[in-house]
Structures are given as C-alpha cells and as structure tokens.
Amino acid sequence: MNTPAYNLIPPEELGKGSPIKLEVCDSEFDLYWKMAIEVFDLIKENNEKGKKTVMIIPYGPVGPYKRLAWLVNKYRLSLKNCYFVNMDEYLTDDKEWMPAEHPFSFRGGMERSFYSLVDEELNVPKDQYMFPKPGEEEKVWEFIQENGGLDMCWGGVGITGHVAFNEPPEPGEEMTNEEFLALPTRVLKLARETKTINAFMNCGADLDGIPDWCITVGMKEIFSAKKVRLCMPRDWNCAMLRKILHGPKTCKVPCSLFQDHPDTMIYAAACALSMPTQEIRITNK
C-alpha cells in the first residue's frame, strides 16, 4: 500500500501552502481557550458596532463553553444580541429529540455546559437560540437569513472528516462535491465509524449505547458562514487533519471542501500533528 504524500509531511510543515489556516495549540486546553477567546472577541466587536452575532455552534468540543462563560461574566459582555443555532442533535429510534435530561441530549448539555453558567442579565434570550428539529428542518435556514446571515460556524471534526453530522457518502453512494455542499439541514443515520469513536469517548466503548439517528445542520448552512473554525484536539485527529489540509477536495472527506471557503481555520492540538505511522505497537511489561 502506497503512503499518501500528505502523511509524509513533517509536523512543522503542516498547513504550509494550504488555503486552510492552521493554528497549533500546545494542548487541547490551550485550544479551548483560543476558541473561546475568538468567539468572545467576535461578539464584543459586533456589540460595539451595534450588530447581531449569528453563529452555528456545537455541543462538542464542550471545553470552550465554561471558558467562554467565565470571560462573559468577568468582562460583562452582553449576549443579548446573539443568535445561536446548535449544529446537531442525537435522535431516538423514532427520529425524535431525546428528552433534555438524557445524558446524550445536546439541548440539555448546552444548558448544563454554557447557558446555566452565564449571568442572567448577560445571557442569550431563549428565543434567540435554537436546535434543529425533525419536521422543522427548514427553520434553520430561515432563522439564519432572518437575522442577517452567519458570522461564524465553529465545531469539532469527526473521525470521518465531518463537521456537525454531515457524514461522507457511504461506499457505493454517488455524489458530487457540489451536491454535497448543497445538502441542507436533515435527519440521517450516523456512520459506523462515528458511532464507534463516539462510543469509545462517551460510553465505555458500548457500541449499542450510541444512537443510530441524528439531525444535523447541513453543509449548505455551514458553508454560508463568513468564518469557519474547526477544532481538532485529539491524537486520533492526525490522519484527518492531513487530509483536510493537504489532501484532495472531496466529499469523502467533508471538511476538505473548506479548502474553497474564503476564511477557514483549524485549531489543532500539538498531538494532532503527529505523522500517522503504520505500525503495530508492542508493549513489553
């Protein structure tokens, strides 16, 4: 098997020549601070101009949220002119929202991880943030357009190279890059790879514990953002980071398509810059 050229790029050379900017962070915790500060600065700048701040935001990575809440409270930054769309949500087998109290509910998670931490006099009004809902998919695009378009979309990158739950086409499924970029908010089934890595991270590798179904904001909405910020804080991000920065533009690696976006940056922890070496690791004890 031939090793792709991008897998041979030394870590210190990553990002050079790529249309996607790369910001290297010493650790995932530095990444969370940098992401929180960028969101804080954008809101502050828009507030000073008397403008709305309209963003697609994730429930993952969660790390930036308590940092952002701390910054908001300390520096008394008003979020009253913010309009937030959460990018995705797990669904039940009936393709409905999970109860907010379920550990995997992103709606409940956002309340616990962010909204409940912000002082009430500064917080986002409840009618100014939303989650994609089955049967009401078109409301995401309407919400964005009614509020003047997206300033930013930020979120993590999945093991398949997806952002939100925009999974690549399954093997044998034909789709052009243009068709993929036109996909709107929709219900879909999670890729097997996504279920596996999420089970590893979130429920002790219980593959049956991760839902089969989700709803996601589409590439159509995300690509319309003025700024896209992608977070890659894990060591298992290293192969996909290289594909996104230096591989071909293909919907088989969804985030590689941001090579054609005017302002995309990846925040990557140093561990994500490793070269994906083919080896079987043997530990002698």
Side-chain angles (χ1 to χ4, degrees):
M1 178 180 293
N2 293 327
T3 301
Y6 47 76
N7 280 355
L8 301 176
I9 300 173
E12 63 272 14
E13 297 294 317
L14 284 176
K16 293 183 179 179
S18 174
I20 297 176
K21 298 183 290 290
L22 176 64
E23 175 74 16
V24 180
C25 310
D26 289 340
S27 70
E28 68 174 287
F29 305 107
D30 297 302
L31 185 158
Y32 298 153
W33 272 113
K34 287 185 177 183
M35 190 68 251
I37 290 168
E38 179 161 3
V39 172
F40 179 92
D41 285 346
L42 176 60
I43 297 170
K44 182 174 182 291
E45 179 183 343
N46 282 347
N47 282 358
E48 290 170 352
K49 294 177 180 177
K51 293 176 57 180
K52 296 179 179 180
T53 299
V54 187
M55 284 194 282
I56 293 176
I57 62 174
Y59 182 58
V62 180
Y65 283 117
K66 69 177 181 180
R67 292 162 174 83
L68 178 60
W70 183 85
L71 290 167
V72 165
N73 292 337
K74 179 175 176 61
Y75 295 104
R76 314 312 294 166
L77 180 71
S78 175
L79 306 183
K80 296 298 184 184
N81 213 19
C82 289
Y83 295 77
F84 292 163
V85 181
N86 259 80
M87 58 173 44
D88 48 17
E89 178 66 287
Y90 283 130
L91 300 177
T92 66
D93 288 341
D94 294 327
K95 302 177 189 175
E96 300 290 344
W97 276 351
M98 290 186 168
E101 60 271 15
H102 192 286
F104 285 163
S105 167
F106 296 174
R107 300 179 336 281
M110 283 298 300
E111 182 63 28
R112 294 186 294 271
S113 300
F114 182 59
Y115 293 119
S116 67
L117 305 182
V118 176
D119 291 348
E120 188 55 39
E121 63 269 24
L122 302 171
N123 217 343
V124 185
K126 290 189 176 181
D127 63 351
Q128 290 176 198
Y129 61 86
M130 68 173 298
F131 295 79
K133 186 174 184 180
E136 299 180 4
E137 291 85 352
E138 72 287 346
K139 289 189 176 181
V140 170
W141 185 250
E142 291 172 1
F143 181 89
I144 291 168
Q145 298 309 304
E146 287 168 1
N147 290 296
L150 283 173
D151 292 291
M152 181 190 289
C153 171
W154 69 276
V157 178
I159 200 166
T160 63
H162 68 238
V163 60
F165 278 136
N166 286 286
E167 301 282 20
E170 289 290 338
E173 182 182 0
E174 296 296 328
M175 185 176 294
T176 66
N177 292 348
E178 292 73 22
E179 289 170 335
F180 191 81
L181 285 171
L183 289 172
T185 300
R186 65 205 183 281
V187 171
L188 73 156
K189 199 166 188 178
L190 289 169
R192 185 174 182 177
E193 296 86 354
T194 298
K195 285 196 62 173
T196 301
I197 196 65
N198 288 3
F200 169 73
M201 292 193 300
N202 301 136
C203 60
D206 176 15
L207 291 172
D208 297 326
I210 298 296
D212 288 323
W213 294 93
C214 67
I215 185 168
T216 184
V217 167
M219 293 296 286
K220 171 186 173 180
E221 290 88 353
I222 293 172
F223 213 82
S224 75
K226 294 174 185 174
K227 298 181 180 182
V228 174
R229 298 294 181 259
L230 305 173
C231 301
M232 303 186 79
R234 315 287 185 192
D235 56 1
W236 54 259
N237 290 137
C238 64
M240 196 53 66
L241 174 65
R242 291 164 175 272
K243 290 181 180 180
I244 293 167
L245 288 172
H246 299 291
K249 291 177 284 190
T250 171
C251 59
K252 295 178 181 179
V253 179
C255 284
S256 69
L257 299 177
F258 290 111
Q259 292 179 31
D260 283 335
H261 187 273
D263 188 355
T264 294
M265 182 164 70
I266 296 175
Y267 286 105
C271 63
L273 274 66
S274 300
M275 298 175 71
T277 304
Q278 295 179 348
E279 61 178 332
I280 296 175
R281 297 177 183 176
I282 300 174
T283 303
N284 294 318
K285 295 184 179 181

